[in-house]
Amino acid sequence: MVKLWGGRFKQGTDPLMDSFHSSLGFDYRLYPYDIAGSIAHATMLADCGIIPQEDAAAIRQGLRGIYRDMAHGKLELDPSAEDIHMFVETHLIERIGDSGRKLHTARSRNDQVAVDVRMYLRDQIADLHGLITKLQAALVEKAKQHTDVVLPGYTHMQRAQPVLFAQHLLAYFFMFQRDKERLVDCWRRVNQSPLGAGALAGVAYPIDREQTAQLL
């Protein structure tokens, strides 16, 4: 795969260096977010008059095709790609030609990666929040089944007082509840898009999860 940043070099990098430098082995999971962010960016470029609307339409169509192919296993990852961002962009250019090169206009790899990671973490936080809720429900159900079971409560490694097994289980319920509250706070902090900040500075704004899904 031809490297997008390799225009000044007469020879390719050593395969060992490519392997060491590649992040594709773990950042491939960002592809839905990378594509959604790129679709939003292409739309912004056209709406601001930076690129023609027809180029933006071609970019969006090409990106959605790449998403479908990757989601259905029709597009295999190229191990020579440096990362998922380069993989997607290279395939976009192959599919729609020079219009695909305009996607990188007014965007740094820095804010692109930051957007992808934030959207990925946002979904992971939401999924984890849901799993904890299910675990709490199981604890409550188990506590209801053992309201008459007594066990010793300990302090300083010594038996201190009798407690109900149900109470012991519900103590964990509230521990997990505090964890959920921390996740909610973390979700708010993550749910900010740095897209448009470029390589240095800019303003973050909230990411709408439903609008992100609609892009794909």
Side-chain angles (χ1 to χ4, degrees):
M1 177 176 288
V2 177
K3 294 179 174 59
L4 300 177
W5 49 263
R8 296 187 179 185
F9 299 96
K10 295 181 179 180
Q11 297 180 350
T13 51
D14 187 275
L16 180 61
M17 185 62 186
D18 287 338
S19 177
F20 175 78
H21 195 250
S22 175
S23 61
L24 190 62
F26 54 86
D27 69 11
Y28 70 90
R29 69 194 69 184
L30 298 178
Y31 82 86
Y33 311 103
D34 191 75
I35 291 173
S38 292
I39 290 174
H41 183 69
T43 301
M44 178 279 295
L45 291 176
D47 289 348
C48 292
I50 299 173
I51 67 173
Q53 286 288 350
E54 54 268 26
D55 284 332
I59 290 172
R60 289 192 294 264
Q61 183 178 4
L63 287 170
R64 291 188 177 109
I66 292 172
Y67 172 78
R68 288 192 296 269
D69 288 347
M70 293 190 71
H72 292 91
K74 296 180 180 180
L75 182 59
E76 295 184 2
L77 294 174
D78 185 346
S80 66
E82 185 175 320
D83 52 38
I84 190 60
H85 325 290
M86 184 171 292
F87 176 82
V88 170
E89 191 170 340
T90 299
H91 276 280
L92 177 66
I93 295 170
E94 289 178 356
R95 293 187 180 202
I96 69 171
D98 286 340
S99 293
R101 300 182 187 278
K102 297 180 181 181
L103 176 60
H104 207 56
T105 305
R107 182 174 69 170
S108 166
R109 187 72 77 210
N110 295 15
D111 53 346
Q112 181 181 359
V113 173
V115 167
D116 293 359
V117 171
R118 282 174 178 267
M119 286 197 293
Y120 171 80
L121 289 176
R122 183 186 61 179
D123 281 356
Q124 293 298 306
I125 290 170
D127 291 344
L128 183 57
H129 189 280
L131 291 172
I132 293 176
T133 299
K134 291 180 179 179
L135 177 57
Q136 287 179 298
L139 287 171
V140 170
E141 184 60 30
K142 187 64 67 174
K144 290 179 179 179
Q145 298 171 8
H146 298 283
T147 56
D148 57 349
V149 177
V150 180
L151 73 161
Y154 283 77
T155 180
H156 296 81
M157 301 180 68
Q158 297 183 40
R159 294 182 178 184
Q161 68 182 65
V163 296
L164 295 177
F165 182 50
Q167 292 176 323
H168 184 72
L169 291 175
L170 292 178
Y172 287 96
F173 174 95
F174 287 104
M175 291 180 195
F176 285 122
Q177 185 63 27
R178 291 191 290 273
D179 288 336
K180 284 172 59 176
E181 292 169 1
R182 295 184 183 100
L183 285 173
V184 170
D185 181 65
C186 184
W187 192 93
R188 294 193 189 102
R189 295 170 186 270
V190 165
N191 193 41
Q192 300 289 325
S193 173
L195 191 61
L200 180 61
V203 179
Y205 54 90
I207 307 172
D208 188 286
R209 192 176 188 186
E210 292 184 2
Q211 289 181 349
T212 301
Q214 291 172 2
L215 289 172
L216 298 173

